[in-house]
């Protein structure tokens, strides 16, 4: 009798564990998903980062059916105003939350403009294999057919999915799942704006069900050497753009004088730099004044280096776009300013 009683208790415990909802924390940072417009027809000219986290959660009562939700407001900004300070706060918060056995996954609501940069930054500094998912919206919360609520529901479904561990930081938007390293915003206004131009999405979400179809092979999170614990600021890295008749040293000089430790060049084609600007960069590299990574303004594809460029000290940003190359160069500079060592980071991450 006693045995039967304990057997039933055990079975009950196991089945309760199987049906236990995951504990998901939503960290809100602002963006259009929290945007408010004067009219429900307006999808431009609104104020991004206006509504608080509780409003976003209450707009999707179905969240309670799939997860135990708690929310925290980390910032409430238009993501075009994102700062290193918000990144450092966010990264430390994510790491501290995920170190608790009471947290199974994290969703971060974020503006779409710089979502790819924040996602890639976290992909390199989060020290956990639990899911971290960014989401946002292209239409403000007040718009007819606002896309935010469904994106939030999908992001929570993904963060609570048992197969979402070990995938690095992800972006869930418009029913698709992207790896943080590969995702990029490609359209100014359309809801179908996120793409992964070098590799495609890694999965999709249908009615809350998560399907993975591929993986990013680049190392991330626990397998990355970068750590932001105790960091008060990040090394300054800027981006210079190459274009026709770009003969001026002015931009590079100004960035250098403002304290840049590194530069990413958004080169033309496979990373070409106008010769006038390139000659100046070669001069600065020879004086070890700064570190220079060559990326491309094209939007996809690898940037190769000639033997001469390697000797000159240039680094290839691999196939990272300029804004992502900047993120990796900043973190690389927390470790070393040796171009050969930094090149290894660009090959791996
Ligand atoms: C922003 O990035 O904060 C504004 C644009 C958006 O979220 O779509």
């Amino acid at each position: 009798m006693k045995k039967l009683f304990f057997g039933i208790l055990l079975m009950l415990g196991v089945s309760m564990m199987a049906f236990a909802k995951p504990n998901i924390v939503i960290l809100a940072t602002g963006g259009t998903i929290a945007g408010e417009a004067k009219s429900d027809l307006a999808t431009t000219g609104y104020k991004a980062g206006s509504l608080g986290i509780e409003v976003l959660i209450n707009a999707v009562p179905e969240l309670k059916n799939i997860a135990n939700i708690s929310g925290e407001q980390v910032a409430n900004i238009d993501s075009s105003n994102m700062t290193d300070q918000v990144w450092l706060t966010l990264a430390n918060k994510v790491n501290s939350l995920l170190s608790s056995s009471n947290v199974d996954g994290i969703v971060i609501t974020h503006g779409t403009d710089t979502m790819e940069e924040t996602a890639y930054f976290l992909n390199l500094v989060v020290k956990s294999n639990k899911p971290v998912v960014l989401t946002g919206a292209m239409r403000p919360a007040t718009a007819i057919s606002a896309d935010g609520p469904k994106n939030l529901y999908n992001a929570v479904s993904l963060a609570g999915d048992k197969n979402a561990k070990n995938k690095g930081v992800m972006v869930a938007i418009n029913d698709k799942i992207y790896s943080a390293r590969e995702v990029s915003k490609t359209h100014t206004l359309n809801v179908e704006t996120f793409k992964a131009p070098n590799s495609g999405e890694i999965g999709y979400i249908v009615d809350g069900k998560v399907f993975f179809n591929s993986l990013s092979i680049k190392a991330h999170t626990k397998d990355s050497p970068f750590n932001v614990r105790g960091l008060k600021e990040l090394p300054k890295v800027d981006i210079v753009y190459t274009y026709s008749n770009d003969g001026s040293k002015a931009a590079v000089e100004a960035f250098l004088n403002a304290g840049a430790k590194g530069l990413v060049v958004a080169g033309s084609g496979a990373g070409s730099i106008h010769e006038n600007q390139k000659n100046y960069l070669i001069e600065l590299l020879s004086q070890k004044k700064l570190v220079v990574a060559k990326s491309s303004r094209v939007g996809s594809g690898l940037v190769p280096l000639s033997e001469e460029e390697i000797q000159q000290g240039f680094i290839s940003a691999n196939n990272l776009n300029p804004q992502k190359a900047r993120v990796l160069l900043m973190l690389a500079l927390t470790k070393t300013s040796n171009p050969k060592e930094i090149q290894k980071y660009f090959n791996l991450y």
Side-chain angles (χ1 to χ4, degrees):
M1 192 65 188
K2 216 171 172 184
K3 264 190 185 159
L4 183 68
F5 177 69
F6 281 118
I8 291 170
L9 269 187
L10 191 71
M11 272 164 60
L12 272 175
V14 169
S15 48
M16 268 168 71
M17 267 163 65
F19 291 110
K21 286 184 278 185
N23 298 326
I24 305 297
V25 182
I26 304 179
L27 300 176
T29 68
T32 295
I33 191 167
E36 241 182 330
K38 289 207 174 74
S39 133
D40 54 7
L41 289 177
T43 56
T44 60
Y46 55 87
K47 184 171 171 354
S50 174
L51 304 170
I53 177 65
E54 288 310 321
V55 180
L56 302 195
I57 293 174
N58 291 339
V60 194
E62 296 82 358
L63 290 177
K64 288 195 211 77
N65 303 334
I66 55 169
N68 302 313
I69 300 286
S70 58
E72 201 178 317
Q73 196 80 45
V74 175
N76 210 356
I77 57 173
D78 186 312
S79 80
S80 58
N81 297 324
M82 187 49 67
T83 64
D84 292 357
Q85 290 318 314
V86 176
W87 276 1
L88 292 172
T89 306
L90 197 55
N92 285 318
K93 189 161 280 298
V94 169
N95 278 328
S96 134
L97 284 167
L98 291 182
S99 68
S100 159
S101 57
N102 291 330
V103 178
D104 297 308
I106 296 213
V107 167
I108 298 169
T109 58
H110 197 288
T112 61
D113 284 2
T114 61
M115 187 184 289
E116 63 196 85
E117 291 164 63
T118 304
Y120 186 48
F121 177 72
L122 294 174
N123 197 47
L124 294 169
V125 300
V126 165
K127 298 295 161 213
S128 169
N129 63 359
K130 294 179 189 172
V132 177
V133 181
L134 279 84
T135 195
M138 290 300 285
R139 297 181 184 138
T142 46
I144 295 177
S145 276
D147 49 333
K150 177 83 184 299
N151 286 340
L152 184 59
Y153 184 81
N154 280 347
V156 171
S157 305
L158 176 59
D161 191 272
K162 60 180 186 335
N163 295 319
K165 277 188 169 178
N166 293 313
K167 303 264 189 308
V169 174
M170 294 170 280
V171 167
I173 201 146
N174 211 24
D175 296 342
K176 293 186 182 142
I177 308 167
Y178 297 93
S179 91
R181 186 189 183 276
E182 307 299 335
V183 69
S184 190
K185 186 171 181 176
T186 66
H187 194 283
T188 53
L189 294 170
N190 202 277
V191 291
E192 177 63 2
T193 181
F194 283 93
K195 306 264 183 228
N198 287 306
S199 61
E201 71 268 13
I202 60 168
Y204 54 98
I205 306 166
V206 186
D207 297 341
K209 290 197 181 60
V210 173
F211 298 88
F212 286 105
N213 51 25
S214 62
L215 269 186
S216 170
I217 54 157
K218 296 288 185 177
H220 53 74
T221 54
K222 285 175 101 171
D223 296 326
S224 128
F226 308 113
N227 209 318
V228 292
R229 209 157 97 208
L231 269 190
K232 295 270 172 285
E233 57 182 20
L234 294 165
K236 187 169 154 50
V237 174
D238 291 292
I239 301 174
V240 285
Y241 209 84
T242 288
Y243 43 90
S244 159
N245 206 41
D246 169 16
S248 149
K249 314 200 282 195
V252 173
E253 216 160 32
F255 283 136
L256 193 62
N257 291 338
K261 300 284 178 270
L263 275 184
V264 173
V265 185
S268 56
S272 299
I273 307 172
H274 195 292
E275 60 183 351
N276 297 340
Q277 190 176 78
K278 190 169 182 185
N279 288 336
Y280 184 47
L281 289 171
I282 293 168
E283 198 183 309
L284 295 176
L285 282 172
S286 72
Q287 296 163 12
K288 301 212 174 335
K289 288 257 174 78
L290 82 180
V291 170
V292 182
K294 286 180 76 188
S295 176
S296 171
R297 62 185 200 177
V298 166
S300 65
L302 193 88
V303 167
L305 292 183
S306 67
E307 207 40 58
E308 192 184 20
E309 287 174 321
I310 295 171
Q311 295 312 324
Q312 287 160 341
F314 284 102
I315 296 158
S316 159
N318 201 301
N319 62 3
L320 289 174
N321 67 24
Q323 57 272 31
K324 286 196 177 164
R326 176 178 167 273
V327 172
L328 181 51
L329 188 51
M330 287 197 302
L331 288 170
L333 284 167
T334 63
K335 296 273 179 200
T336 176
S337 52
N338 179 331
K340 288 201 170 61
E341 292 303 311
I342 296 179
Q343 185 62 68
K344 288 185 195 158
Y345 292 138
F346 273 92
N347 297 344
L348 276 173
Y349 308 105

